[in-house]
Amino acid sequence: MADTQPALDRNRINALMAAVAERQDVDSYEALYKYFVPKVRSYMFRIGGDRIQAEEMAQEAMLSVWRKANQFDPERGAASTWIYTIARNVRIDALRRGPRPDFDPNDPSFVPDDTPAADIAFDKEQDAERLRLAMASLKPDEVKALRMSFFEDMAHPAIAASLGIPIGTVKSRIRNACLKLRNILRDE
C-alpha cells in the first residue's frame, strides 16, 4: 500500500495543528490524519505487534492528537515528533495493559489443600460426634428416614416406596427427627 499523500512541510503541519488546537477545525484534522495515519501505522507495526494492533494503536494515537492538540507547542519541537511521541506512549500503554494471563484452575495457589487445618478438622470431628450421639437418641424409624433423605439424597417419594409407608409418614418422621435433633444440639 503506497503512501499517496503529498508531503507536508513543517510550517503547513504546524498551521494545521494550530487550526485543530484553536478552533477544532475538522478539515485541518482530516489533512493531518490522512498524512500521519499511514506513517504512524507503519511505525506501530515496526516497533512490534500485528497489523490489526498497529491499526488500532494508530487510530488511538490520532484520536489523542485531536483531543490534545491544544497541548502542542511549536516552539518545543516539530508536530511530527509530538505525534510520534503520542504514538509511542499509546504503544507503552498497550503493553502495560497487555494480555492478561489466562486463569489456570490447576495452579497450585488456587487448588485447595487436601487436608484441612487441624483446628477445622478437630471442630468437624466434634460436631460429627455430637450429631452421632444426638441421633442415637432418636427412634430407629426416624434415623432410617433421616439417613435416606440427607445422607443417601433420596427424594421423599423414593423413601416412602423403599420403606413401604405413606409419603406423609416419611415427612412426619423427618420433621420430628429434625426438631428433636435441634433441641438436643441446642441444649449442649
Side-chain angles (χ1 to χ4, degrees):
M1 184 173 185
D3 186 3
T4 58
Q5 278 303 115
L8 296 177
D9 67 11
R10 182 178 180 155
N11 292 334
R12 178 72 178 134
I13 292 171
N14 285 348
L16 293 171
M17 284 296 299
V20 172
E22 294 166 10
R23 301 184 308 276
Q24 292 189 327
D25 184 54
V26 175
D27 293 331
S28 297
Y29 177 73
E30 185 177 350
L32 286 170
Y33 185 90
K34 285 180 180 178
Y35 181 73
F36 279 105
V37 160
K39 295 170 179 14
V40 171
R41 184 176 43 236
S42 294
Y43 169 71
M44 292 296 200
F45 185 67
R46 271 194 323 272
I47 63 173
D50 60 31
R51 293 193 186 280
I52 294 171
Q53 287 175 328
E55 178 67 34
E56 289 175 359
M57 288 187 287
Q59 297 289 328
E60 189 175 336
M62 292 308 294
L63 183 60
S64 289
V65 168
W66 171 259
R67 289 181 182 152
K68 298 177 180 181
N70 62 342
Q71 296 176 11
F72 172 67
D73 181 3
E75 299 296 319
R76 294 184 67 204
S80 58
T81 305
W82 185 74
I83 291 171
Y84 282 110
T85 300
I86 289 175
R88 181 184 58 101
N89 291 340
V90 165
R91 172 77 174 139
I92 290 169
D93 289 346
L95 288 173
R96 285 183 183 149
R97 284 189 308 264
R100 300 287 181 219
D102 291 334
F103 173 74
D104 179 10
N106 297 319
D107 185 322
S109 60
F110 296 120
V111 177
D113 293 335
D114 291 337
T115 57
D119 58 336
I120 294 172
F122 181 74
D123 287 345
K124 285 184 178 183
E125 189 74 30
Q126 281 188 324
D127 290 344
E129 183 60 28
R130 286 178 55 216
L131 184 59
R132 275 192 288 281
L133 291 173
M135 286 184 71
S137 67
L138 299 177
K139 296 178 186 175
D141 56 348
E142 292 173 334
V143 171
K144 190 165 194 144
L146 269 181
R147 284 188 191 277
M148 293 174 93
S149 178
F150 291 102
F151 298 112
E152 296 173 25
D153 202 25
M154 292 177 68
H156 292 170
I159 296 170
S162 175
L163 296 177
I165 57 175
I167 193 168
T169 304
V170 170
K171 290 179 180 184
S172 294
R173 287 181 183 175
I174 292 172
R175 185 180 64 248
N176 289 337
C178 287
L179 288 172
K180 287 178 184 176
L181 286 175
R182 184 181 307 141
N183 289 333
I184 291 170
L185 294 172
R186 182 179 39 200
D187 291 340
E188 286 187 6

